[in-house]
Amino acid sequence: MNQAIVGGGCFWCTEAVFLNLKGVSKVVSGYMGGHKLNPTYEDICEGNTGHAEIIRIDYDPAEITFEDLLLVFFKTHNPTTLNRQGNDMGTQYRSVVFYENQEQKIIAENMIDSLQKAMVFEQPIVTEVSPASTFYEAEDYHQNYFNNNANKAYCVHVIQPKLTKFTRDFWDKLK
């Protein structure tokens, strides 16, 4: 298994998308990229720890490539808004790819360059590409959030529409 680490705003949304992909065996919500040791969700929400809400994806590269994961990532959030996804604002909601090796870094940078040249988005991509640092797993109640809370308002009004679009756009990559 390989790992990919991305942050595209609220980890509840990104986790729900990636759990549905062929080749993905596990998705863990967490925090990365900050300076505080052992941050909690409450710490992250204050917006001053430097951490981003991220997901760590375990995947089988024989079934899905890192490039495919990144394409899903870029197409299922807005990579053109700095420190913001919808109504969620703050550095904890930044768009970021945390790479674990030079190959991942190059692939992420090339993907951004390719999307920019193809003018896929109306605004410039502001996604950060940074080396992976200490991963802090989010509290248990954040894991598998959508599947455990599908009837909550945030899930119904924010996550479900994103999943509907994702399912339509990536039907061939679904489990």
Side-chain angles (χ1 to χ4, degrees), residues 120-140:
V120 172
F121 301 99
E122 293 181 18
Q123 301 295 321
I125 294 171
V126 297
T127 302
E128 178 185 312
V129 178
S130 298
S133 56
T134 304
F135 171 77
Y136 297 100
E137 187 170 327
E139 296 80 356
D140 286 345

Side-chain angles (χ1 to χ4, degrees), residues 52-66:
E53 287 191 15
I54 56 94
I55 57 169
R56 185 180 65 198
I57 306 159
D58 291 348
Y59 69 97
D60 181 348
E63 291 188 60
I64 190 164
T65 66
F66 185 68

Side-chain angles (χ1 to χ4, degrees), residues 3-174:
Q3 288 187 334
I5 304 168
V6 296
C10 173
F11 48 35
W12 297 342
C13 292
T14 51
E15 177 196 59
V17 165
F18 284 88
L19 281 171
N20 289 296
L21 285 174
K22 281 189 251 181
V24 171
S25 62
K26 186 176 181 183
V27 179
V28 180
S29 294
Y31 318 111
M32 188 175 281
H35 53 79
K36 182 174 179 155
L37 297 177
N38 303 308
T40 65
Y41 183 66
E42 289 73 26
D43 295 333
I44 301 302
C45 287
E46 290 176 10
N48 57 12
T49 68
H51 292 88
E53 287 191 15
I54 56 94
I55 57 169
R56 185 180 65 198
I57 306 159
D58 291 348
Y59 69 97
D60 181 348
E63 291 188 60
I64 190 164
T65 66
F66 185 68
E67 290 92 339
D68 283 339
L69 291 171
L70 287 182
L71 186 59
V72 169
F73 167 69
F74 280 107
K75 297 280 187 118
T76 56
H77 83 292
N78 185 347
T80 69
T81 53
L82 186 62
N83 301 327
R84 181 179 185 154
Q85 288 298 306
N87 292 329
D88 294 332
M89 291 184 283
T91 58
Q92 67 271 33
Y93 300 115
R94 67 188 179 270
S95 177
V96 59
V97 175
F98 285 107
Y99 60 87
E100 294 188 313
N101 55 51
Q102 279 303 111
E103 181 183 10
Q104 285 186 345
K105 178 184 181 192
I106 291 166
I107 291 169
E109 289 171 342
N110 288 342
M111 174 74 66
I112 291 169
D113 187 51
S114 174
L115 293 170
Q116 295 272 72
K117 285 180 181 169
M119 298 174 62
V120 172
F121 301 99
E122 293 181 18
Q123 301 295 321
I125 294 171
V126 297
T127 302
E128 178 185 312
V129 178
S130 298
S133 56
T134 304
F135 171 77
Y136 297 100
E137 187 170 327
E139 296 80 356
D140 286 345
Y141 69 94
H142 292 296
Q143 308 304 328
N144 204 21
Y145 190 84
F146 177 77
N147 290 331
N148 292 331
N149 299 280
N151 293 323
K152 288 195 175 183
Y154 188 87
C155 294
V156 171
H157 298 291
V158 178
I159 300 175
Q160 187 57 59
K162 184 177 284 221
L163 283 175
T164 299
K165 181 182 183 305
F166 159 72
T167 301
R168 183 185 68 237
D169 294 348
F170 293 99
W171 61 269
D172 60 327
K173 298 196 183 318
L174 298 176

